[in-house]
Amino acid sequence: MANIIPVTDFDAPQLDVYARLTENQLLNRAEPEKGIFIAESPLVIGRALDAGCVPLSFLTDQEHLQAQAAELIARCPDVPVYTAPFAVLTRLTGFALTRGTLCAMRRPRQPSAARICSLSRRIAVLENVMNPTNVGAIFRSAAALSMDAVLLAPDCSNPLYRRAIRVSMGTVFQIPWAFWDGEEDWFTAGPSLLRRLGFTTAAMALREDSVSIGDPRLKTAEKLAVILGSEGEGLRSATIDACDYTVRIPMACGVDSLNVAAASAVAFWELTKQP
């Protein structure tokens, strides 16, 4: 039987995860094994459950108890379900709960970067991509366009921030990913270490010596790491210099580049096609 708990006290500590804790507090760097993330919408929550994520509680408006949230709640009969009218939850969370249901979940342990690299032929590598919206969009494109995994440099936004999860449509639970955790620092040796692991490295950047995204050498590489940089400044010069190829997407109409999320979709589509 579902454990339904009406919301009557806005200050109840059980609701802190939804209304008062910041993303960094949820992340809990001091005790990462106690970290929490918030999944939003039945689709995203379902994908997180399918991936083995452990739910701690639900927050849903009363209308969804017997509708969209019903199947999820049935899968987790012992998990507390906090509920109230839509207007009350909007006051509590500070935004309209348009997707009806939130779920607080324990952050799963991620595989090591080395493990991901050993099992992958095509990986996306993100450096200094700080906008959670772009991180989420890149994950969605990576999952949809047959990339095997995503590797993030330490300065990237966390894929389990609420906005990144929402924009990814839950694909952060479907494609393997990890933050760089090698013995050597990414910023001094990242591309070189990827090469040692068997990857051809392709930096997405605008340079005079860049090759077109359609270059056949990229498609025929046995293992390929597509490295994408920040929304504004792009990749660091040191990273570009250390890569095997600098790669550009041909532009028209005087446009010099695409947003990093849009560029990732074009690159993944082109580079995962069969030669």
Side-chain angles (χ1 to χ4, degrees):
M1 180 179 292
N3 183 14
I4 308 298
I5 304 171
V7 173
T8 57
D9 181 4
F10 278 11
D11 295 324
Q14 297 91 334
L15 302 179
D16 286 348
V17 292
Y18 300 108
R20 289 173 285 276
L21 297 186
T22 67
E23 292 283 13
N24 284 333
Q25 288 172 317
L26 292 173
L27 182 59
N28 198 349
R29 296 181 190 277
E31 297 179 278
E33 70 279 1
K34 296 181 180 179
I36 295 170
F37 69 87
I38 305 297
E40 182 179 342
S41 85
L43 172 64
V44 171
I45 295 168
R47 286 178 172 173
L49 291 173
D50 291 343
C53 296
V54 178
L56 301 176
S57 67
F58 290 93
L59 179 66
T60 185
D61 69 69
Q62 292 172 342
E63 178 184 345
H64 285 79
L65 278 177
Q66 305 302 323
Q68 297 180 25
E71 181 180 345
L72 299 172
I73 293 169
R75 292 177 64 176
C76 313
D78 299 323
V79 175
V81 181
Y82 300 101
T83 186
F86 179 86
V88 173
L89 294 186
T90 298
R91 287 174 57 199
L92 172 67
T93 60
F95 62 91
L97 205 63
T98 55
R99 291 172 176 81
T101 306
L102 302 178
C103 184
M105 292 181 154
R106 187 69 66 199
R107 286 179 181 260
R109 289 191 63 181
Q110 299 303 133
S112 68
R115 173 71 174 168
I116 279 180
C117 289
S118 70
L119 297 174
S120 303
R121 293 187 62 251
R122 294 289 184 270
I123 63 172
V125 184
L126 310 186
E127 179 182 283
N128 196 30
V129 180
M130 296 296 296
N131 186 315
T133 297
N134 282 335
V135 171
I138 291 169
F139 266 82
R140 189 173 180 180
S141 293
L145 299 173
S146 301
M147 299 296 284
D148 296 318
V150 179
L151 191 61
L152 302 101
D155 56 359
C156 287
S157 180
N158 195 290
L160 293 184
Y161 283 170
R162 184 186 298 186
R163 187 169 184 81
I165 296 172
R166 183 169 67 245
V167 173
S168 81
M169 295 297 290
T171 54
V172 293
F173 307 114
Q174 295 180 308
I175 185 168
W177 62 269
F179 277 94
W180 181 263
D181 57 2
E183 293 183 2
E184 296 180 69
D185 179 56
W186 165 264
F187 300 105
T188 57
S192 298
L193 292 172
L194 287 173
R195 192 175 299 109
R196 265 186 252 164
L197 293 170
F199 285 91
T200 298
T201 52
M204 300 297 298
L206 300 175
R207 280 198 173 182
E208 291 296 326
D209 61 347
S210 62
V211 301
S212 172
I213 192 70
D215 192 298
R217 292 172 294 179
L218 301 174
K219 295 183 182 181
T220 56
E222 180 64 24
K223 301 181 74 170
L224 182 68
V226 183
I227 306 178
L228 300 122
S230 69
E231 296 83 352
E233 298 179 359
L235 289 169
R236 298 176 310 122
S237 294
T239 298
I240 299 172
D241 291 340
C243 287
D244 297 306
Y245 297 98
T246 305
V247 180
R248 71 180 184 278
I249 297 171
M251 298 281 109
C253 298
V255 178
D256 60 352
S257 65
L258 298 173
N259 164 274
V260 64
S264 74
V266 174
F268 300 160
W269 165 256
E270 183 64 32
L271 296 174
T272 56
K273 290 194 303 185
Q274 293 298 316

